Amino acid sequence: MSKKVMVVDNHALIRQGLKLIFESIDNFEVAYEAGNGEEAIEILKQELPDVILLDIIMENIDGFGVMAYINQFCPEVPVVVLTTVDTGDNIKKMLVLGAKGYLLKDASPDAIVNTVNNVLQGNTLLPNKITEIMAENDNNDQKTDFNLDKMEIAILSDISKGMRIKDIAIKIHLSERTVKNHLSSIYTKMSVSSGIEAVALAAKNNMI
């Protein structure tokens, strides 16, 4: 049975190019395509591919938002980031959110296919170019913690791991209502309206 690939990229030309690559290989098919993060999440609510190729810079919901959704609701699906974003902190954020591979868009077709095959086998694969960027990253960008306290950061961290409110409440010995109140406080401080957005923003700022 063919492995179903999902391609999430705002450029139709990139999606078409990746489709041609995988359709030339036995046991692969590009079964799903999305032009932005919102479309990707809507597809994932209905169907799960075997592997996802994900860009970062997109309208509506960016790659971080999609990765946060995958982390929370379908972490079993491996993700390879394929993007032009080559800064160390962004690479780290995607890996923290669960990406299994990270490639730049100048990667060769062979490198893309090799990475996809590796993540399908449960491996994490980063080319030397990416590990060098991470090593050279001085991480001097100004960050913000949104004035979250230690409890709120801990709850966000648990949310990023896919834990349910009920399980978080049991873990930290609080009522579900209290955990929900903490989440409301987090959303207000971060100016977001959902756990997915909060986790993505926290990852962007290296808080989790």
Side-chain angles (χ1 to χ4, degrees):
M1 183 179 293
S2 295
K3 294 293 185 182
K4 294 183 178 181
V5 180
M6 179 177 184
V7 176
V8 185
D9 195 291
N10 63 334
H11 291 100
L13 191 62
I14 297 293
R15 297 198 304 272
Q16 185 62 31
L18 290 169
K19 190 171 184 178
L20 289 172
I21 290 171
F22 283 98
E23 286 186 347
S24 69
I25 302 170
D26 291 337
N27 301 322
F28 278 104
E29 64 168 319
V30 175
Y32 313 101
E33 296 182 45
N36 59 57
E38 187 175 7
E39 290 179 7
I41 289 174
E42 286 304 311
I43 292 171
L44 291 171
K45 288 178 180 178
Q46 305 296 325
E47 303 283 346
L48 292 182
D50 294 299
V51 63
I52 298 171
L53 285 163
L54 176 66
D55 193 9
I56 291 179
I57 302 173
M58 295 180 292
E59 295 180 355
N60 299 326
I61 299 174
D62 64 11
F64 293 108
V66 177
M67 196 67 239
Y69 177 89
I70 293 167
N71 182 289
Q72 187 169 359
F73 294 103
C74 48
E76 70 276 13
V77 180
V79 177
V80 175
V81 178
L82 183 63
T83 185
T84 57
V85 179
D86 61 356
T87 56
D89 57 345
N90 284 302
I91 296 168
K92 179 182 176 183
K93 291 163 199 168
M94 275 301 197
L95 296 177
V96 167
L97 286 170
K100 299 300 183 184
Y102 198 108
L103 294 169
L104 299 181
K105 285 185 175 178
D106 60 1
S108 68
D110 285 346
I112 294 171
V113 173
N114 182 52
T115 301
V116 166
N117 276 320
N118 268 273
V119 302
L120 281 168
Q121 294 169 18
N123 302 318
T124 297
L125 186 64
L126 301 174
N128 290 337
K129 185 174 183 178
I130 296 300
T131 56
E132 288 169 4
I133 291 171
M134 293 177 68
E136 293 171 0
N137 179 37
D138 58 15
N139 202 26
N140 285 330
D141 293 338
Q142 185 176 358
K143 303 297 178 182
T144 177
D145 61 7
F146 300 97
N147 294 318
L148 300 190
D149 60 33
K150 290 182 179 179
M151 177 66 74
E152 290 168 340
I153 292 173
I155 290 172
L156 258 187
S157 179
D158 287 337
I159 290 290
S160 75
K161 297 170 185 173
M163 291 183 67
R164 298 174 301 174
I165 290 175
K166 178 180 180 180
D167 297 326
I168 295 172
I170 293 171
K171 176 185 174 184
I172 60 180
H173 308 293
L174 293 175
S175 68
E176 290 184 43
R177 181 174 181 178
T178 300
V179 173
K180 289 178 181 178
N181 287 339
H182 278 299
L183 282 173
S184 294
S185 174
I186 290 168
Y187 298 165
T188 298
K189 289 179 180 180
M190 301 181 79
S191 298
V192 299
S193 59
S194 71
I196 293 171
E197 292 175 283
V199 167
L201 192 55
K204 283 184 180 180
N205 286 277
N206 293 332
M207 295 166 58
I208 55 176

